[in-house]
Amino acid sequence: MKIKNKITFIFVILVASMQLVIFSIIYFYAVDYRTDEFFEKLKKRTLIAEQSNFEKDALSVEIYEELRRKHLQTLPEEKEFIFPTNTTLENICLKTQMDVPHAFYLNLINKNHAEYNAGKHFISGINYKDQDSNYLIILTANDDDGTNELSNLRTLLIFLFLLNIVVLLLLGRFFAKRTLDPLTKIIEKVNNIRVTNLHERLQTTPNKDELSQLANTFNGMLDRLETSFEIQSNFINNASHELKNPLTAILGQTEIALLKDRSPEEYTKVLEGVETEALRLDALINSLLKFAQTENDEKGLLITPIRLDELILEVKSNIDLINPDNHIEIDFNDFPENPDLLVVEGNYSLINIALNNVLDNASKFSDNKKVTVKIVTNTSAIKIVVTDQGVGIPTDEIKNIYQPFYRAANVRNVKGYGFGLPLTYKIMKLHSGTIEVFSEHKIGTIVTLIFPNKHQKSSISK
């Protein structure tokens, strides 16, 4: 069922139920009021009947006639019965031709007054007692007018109820459609958005209702999708370009070498060039694979406790083998007394890659000047602060440092592919950590890696 129909149905059910309750209260109140009113008429006639039959001698003829003129208008099927007090219930029922209940008879004998009605038939009686005699005075009558009035009222209420349902259906459908029209437009607009028109956005209003929030949410999602597609497109273009360069160099050198016979020295030179480009291609593919590894679902990663100080020393040793000229120094002054504060839960290989990228970049882009690595801990986090004295990053380019293949204008002459910081960013995010970069052009860069320690919950799947 569509939401529009569901809202209309619920609206009609709720309002119709309320009206049914109200109409029922009105009808039953009218029934009670009419019953009480008719019983009051019968009671007055019963009292007058008592006076006219047993106390007439005590009244002047003029007063009695005035009493009859005012109160004894004939009621439909009105009948008056007078029975001795010892008359049985069966005889009363026989004479009045009404199925009088036993409770009526008991009230008449014990309480001196009783009333009863069955449908439009009414009966009222009193137990008259004086010094000489005791009698039961009973009046019966039909409330035809009241029955007709109640029937008309019932018909009117049923008609109004059915008419209200029709009106409620029309109004409910109208207002439901009007309320959900913006949602329908949102659905139509979203269904028309494709990869080719991701720049289009939903129309929003200054209102703060749910539909406005939904439109803003969709626009935010479209912004992220457009950015992701642009990044993916740039990534593919850059990756294709970077992969094509070494392949072109390899094919070019082998094609030239095969044009004619060459000396062993020339073949050796060509093979060395091919090897250089192949190594370059291998390094690029490895970087792409590592980056793709962090893009995949993190499920299945091996998670173990890691001492970050020991891992930093290991990374430093590996960099020393590759680049013996580096000047990376580790500052142990702020090491905590409790070694548990240096332990994180994570994937050893990925964190190794992240630290290696940061330290290698710091050494490479500072032309092997002094690089300081400092560890700062507290009860919830571990910070690794890497400070270099390199070329720095221009202020207007810092926002792009986490994009794959992006390289600042002042370091394009330095060997690299632009994967270091983007890969490190994703590894830190995978481990519920963060990376902060502060840099000044031609002064240096400070990179801070912040890990939650093992006592904090990490979002990485184990």
Side-chain angles (χ1 to χ4, degrees):
M1 183 184 292
K2 291 185 176 181
I3 294 178
K4 177 172 61 178
N5 296 333
K6 187 180 294 186
I7 291 175
T8 303
F9 178 74
I10 294 174
F11 172 72
V12 171
I13 290 296
L14 290 176
V15 179
S17 299
M18 293 176 61
Q19 288 185 336
L20 182 61
V21 172
I22 294 171
F23 287 173
S24 299
I25 292 173
I26 292 173
Y27 178 75
F28 287 114
Y29 177 80
V31 171
D32 289 341
Y33 178 79
R34 186 65 190 180
T35 301
D36 293 341
E37 185 183 36
F38 198 77
F39 272 131
E40 187 65 24
K41 289 181 179 180
L42 281 182
K43 185 177 180 181
K44 289 179 179 179
R45 282 157 176 75
T46 305
L47 295 174
I48 293 174
E50 170 199 337
Q51 294 172 350
S52 65
N53 286 281
F54 299 101
E55 301 177 14
K56 188 173 182 180
D57 293 340
L59 297 171
S60 66
V61 175
E62 293 81 5
I63 296 175
Y64 177 71
E65 291 300 327
E66 180 69 16
L67 192 64
R68 288 182 60 86
R69 187 180 65 80
K70 287 185 177 179
H71 298 288
L72 291 182
Q73 298 91 349
T74 302
L75 297 175
E77 300 295 328
E78 181 180 351
K79 296 177 182 179
E80 179 182 313
F81 303 93
I82 299 177
F83 301 100
T85 305
N86 58 358
T87 305
T88 63
L89 177 61
E90 290 76 11
N91 288 333
I92 293 176
C93 292
L94 183 63
K95 290 287 186 178
T96 60
Q97 296 181 349
M98 290 185 65
D99 188 14
V100 180
H102 188 66
F104 175 86
Y105 183 75
L106 291 178
N107 287 334
L108 189 59
I109 299 298
N110 299 325
K111 298 182 180 179
N112 301 325
H113 179 258
E115 294 175 342
Y116 172 72
N117 80 291
K120 67 176 182 178
H121 305 294
F122 286 75
I123 181 171
S124 177
I126 61 172
N127 187 353
Y128 176 77
K129 299 178 182 180
D130 63 8
Q131 296 177 353
D132 300 326
S133 59
N134 293 333
Y135 293 95
L136 302 177
I137 303 174
I138 296 176
L139 263 73
T140 63
N142 292 344
D143 186 14
D144 292 339
D145 292 340
T147 302
N148 292 334
E149 290 175 2
L150 291 176
S151 178
N152 292 335
L153 176 62
R154 184 170 59 250
T155 302
L156 176 63
L157 292 177
I158 292 174
F159 172 76
L160 290 176
F161 179 72
L162 296 177
L163 178 63
N164 281 335
I165 288 180
V166 175
V167 174
L168 288 173
L169 280 171
L170 297 176
L171 289 177
R173 190 168 183 81
F174 172 76
F175 285 110
K177 181 178 182 301
R178 186 172 180 179
T179 301
L180 295 177
D181 269 347
L183 182 59
T184 303
K185 293 179 181 178
I186 289 174
I187 293 172
E188 293 175 354
K189 184 69 174 180
V190 172
N191 284 333
N192 290 329
I193 294 178
R194 300 288 185 271
V195 176
T196 55
N197 61 343
L198 269 178
H199 61 279
E200 294 188 11
R201 294 294 180 268
L202 303 177
Q203 184 176 0
T204 58
T205 62
N207 299 330
K208 294 184 179 180
D209 55 18
E210 289 78 0
L211 291 176
S212 179
Q213 292 177 7
L214 179 62
N216 290 327
T217 301
F218 268 115
N219 285 339
M221 181 188 68
L222 291 171
D223 288 338
R224 295 190 294 273
L225 283 175
E226 185 178 17
T227 301
S228 297
F229 272 99
E230 289 179 356
I231 292 175
Q232 185 179 27
S233 178
N234 293 334
F235 179 85
I236 293 173
N237 292 335
N238 290 328
S240 301
H241 177 74
E242 293 293 339
L243 289 171
K244 187 177 180 180
N245 286 340
L247 286 174
T248 301
I250 290 172
L251 292 173
Q253 292 185 64
T254 54
E255 185 180 352
I256 292 174
L258 293 173
L259 288 177
K260 62 178 182 178
D261 292 334
R262 299 182 182 278
S263 64
E265 292 79 9
E266 289 177 324
Y267 281 123
T268 300
K269 186 176 180 180
V270 170
L271 289 175
E272 288 176 349
V274 169
E275 181 186 25
T276 300
E277 296 300 329
L279 290 174
R280 179 185 170 192
L281 185 61
D282 180 67
L284 179 58
I285 292 174
N286 286 334
S287 297
L288 287 171
L289 290 175
K290 290 176 182 177
F291 191 79
Q293 182 182 5
T294 61
E295 289 286 342
N296 295 330
D297 194 321
E298 61 268 21
K299 293 180 179 178
L301 289 177
L302 178 62
I303 306 302
T304 58
I306 303 170
R307 277 279 298 264
L308 285 182
D309 56 335
E310 295 176 355
L311 183 56
I312 290 173
L313 291 173
E314 181 180 337
V315 171
K316 171 68 167 60
S317 298
N318 292 335
I319 293 177
D320 288 342
L321 293 175
I322 299 172
N323 180 18
D325 297 329
N326 76 84
H327 288 83
I328 299 175
E329 297 181 1
I330 301 175
D331 185 353
F332 295 97
N333 292 328
D334 293 326
F335 264 40
E337 296 181 0
N338 183 3
D340 286 344
L341 295 178
L342 294 169
V343 178
V344 300
E345 297 280 345
N347 181 267
Y348 184 86
S349 298
L350 291 180
I351 295 180
N352 188 313
I353 291 171
L355 290 173
N356 185 80
N357 286 340
V358 174
L359 294 180
D360 183 61
N361 281 351
S363 182
K364 180 169 59 178
F365 294 122
S366 63
D367 196 19
N368 290 326
K369 292 179 182 178
K370 181 180 177 181
V371 175
T372 303
V373 182
K374 189 174 184 178
I375 300 180
V376 181
T377 65
N378 55 40
T379 56
S380 61
I382 307 171
K383 293 183 180 181
I384 300 176
V385 184
V386 180
T387 307
D388 66 47
Q389 301 173 16
V391 294
I393 304 171
T395 304
D396 58 341
E397 297 191 48
I398 288 182
K399 62 180 182 296
N400 300 318
I401 60 176
Y402 300 126
Q403 295 183 17
F405 291 109
Y406 182 82
R407 308 193 72 203
N410 60 336
V411 295
R412 289 176 183 170
N413 60 329
V414 181
K415 184 179 179 181
Y417 302 106
F419 272 107
L421 284 179
L423 183 56
T424 301
Y425 172 80
K426 290 188 175 296
I427 291 173
M428 294 301 297
K429 185 177 179 181
L430 190 64
H431 288 80
S432 300
T434 56
I435 177 172
E436 298 176 354
V437 177
F438 174 78
S439 184
E440 292 188 57
H441 187 44
K442 295 183 180 181
I443 294 178
T445 302
I446 301 175
V447 178
T448 304
L449 304 180
I450 305 173
F451 294 89
N453 64 26
K454 70 175 185 177
H455 301 295
Q456 303 299 312
K457 291 183 178 180
S458 176
S459 63
I460 190 168
S461 298
K462 298 187 179 182

